Amino acid sequence: MATILILATRPESDVLPSLELLSHSVKTIPAQPAELVNAPNSDVIIVDARTDLVSAKSLCKILQATGLSAPLLLVITEGGLAAVSPDWGVTDVILETAGPAEVDARIRLALGRANSASHSDSRVLASGVVIDEASYSVKVHDKPLDLTYKEFELLRFLSTHPSRVFTREQLLSEVWGYDYFGGTRTVDVHVRRLRAKLGEMEQLIGTVRNVGYRFNVADDARKAPLSA
């Protein structure tokens, strides 16, 4: 069962009648920015866009600007679908005529996607190394590492492909981009700096002689050579 907050244009009306047939906990407040200050916590937020598309879009943008973490669903008429675009920032749309099975499925899927995204933001990679993709930060045994943007991107890319070997040319393409004009020596320099900052965890970045680099899983890291 999910806790659902509905921001309704007319709080006295049923924004989504099918919800009454489901077991979710539902709270309805007026769709006004001032009401958001004291809005209760919820697993899902539903915005009523049936009668006022302009105000609904503005409210969605305000919710996104305040760092909304809950999935944002939009209840809309079939005629209003053409007005919805990616810049609304909504997770999904639901027609006001949707039946209970469809409404429940969309809520469950939205919650599932949000849960997957939150778990992928931060990964414990190996032996106390944590990468937080949302804040572009890395910690080793809870100690923050001061990485440059490219050092972070290099570590993140390698770590998301554990044990796979990448040539220097592949890393240049994936991390620096096809339009980068520097040589492959740039990769060696960044690997050397990254290892220095990893300290006792430096062997997580392994070298495969005459091929390139890889991210070692925990067992490999203890025995992998570091020769460049």
Side-chain angles (χ1 to χ4, degrees):
M1 183 180 74
T3 301
I4 299 173
L5 176 65
I6 297 180
L7 304 179
T9 304
R10 297 192 304 274
E12 69 280 359
S13 67
D14 289 332
V15 176
L16 201 55
S18 296
L19 270 177
E20 296 182 1
L21 303 176
L22 302 173
S23 59
H24 301 298
S25 174
V26 180
K27 171 73 173 179
T28 301
I29 64 174
Q32 299 294 331
E35 296 290 334
L36 299 178
V37 177
N38 298 313
N41 292 329
S42 59
D43 300 318
V44 176
I45 296 178
I46 294 178
V47 173
D48 179 11
R50 297 171 300 161
T51 59
D52 191 341
L53 290 170
V54 175
S55 295
K57 181 177 182 178
S58 176
L59 190 58
C60 289
K61 286 182 171 293
I62 291 173
L63 287 166
Q64 293 295 330
T66 57
L68 175 69
S69 58
L72 182 60
L73 304 182
L74 196 69
V75 176
I76 198 166
T77 64
E78 188 168 358
L81 284 173
V84 182
S85 59
D87 65 336
W88 282 57
V90 299
T91 306
D92 201 355
V93 296
I94 306 176
L95 288 176
E96 61 175 344
T97 55
E102 179 181 347
V103 172
D104 194 48
R106 289 186 183 277
I107 290 172
R108 285 187 286 105
L109 289 172
L111 286 170
R113 288 192 293 267
N115 186 57
S116 297
S118 66
H119 278 78
S120 66
D121 284 341
S122 297
R123 297 186 183 90
V124 178
L125 300 174
S127 305
V129 178
V130 178
I131 284 185
D132 189 331
E133 294 180 322
S135 62
Y136 278 85
S137 63
V138 178
K139 292 183 179 180
V140 175
H141 298 305
D142 293 326
K143 180 181 179 181
L145 297 187
D146 183 17
L147 302 184
T148 66
Y149 175 75
K150 286 302 181 186
E151 289 167 351
F152 175 88
E153 285 294 301
L154 178 60
L155 179 62
R156 183 196 63 79
F157 178 77
L158 288 171
S159 67
T160 53
H161 302 83
S163 300
R164 179 178 170 183
V165 181
F166 291 92
T167 66
R168 292 164 175 82
E169 289 78 10
Q170 286 176 315
L171 290 173
L172 273 179
S173 173
E174 296 290 344
V175 178
W176 278 263
Y178 288 102
D179 57 349
Y180 181 75
F181 294 104
T184 57
R185 185 64 181 167
T186 297
V187 177
D188 297 329
V189 171
H190 279 74
V191 167
R192 186 163 58 249
R193 291 174 179 170
L194 188 53
R195 283 174 174 162
K197 292 181 179 181
L198 285 169
E200 63 182 23
M201 303 301 297
E202 63 178 353
Q203 290 191 354
L204 286 174
I205 310 298
T207 299
V208 178
R209 193 180 298 277
N210 298 324
V211 181
Y213 299 104
R214 70 175 182 176
F215 185 85
N216 290 318
V217 294
D219 290 339
D220 294 333
R222 288 193 290 268
K223 58 187 179 183
L226 291 181
S227 56

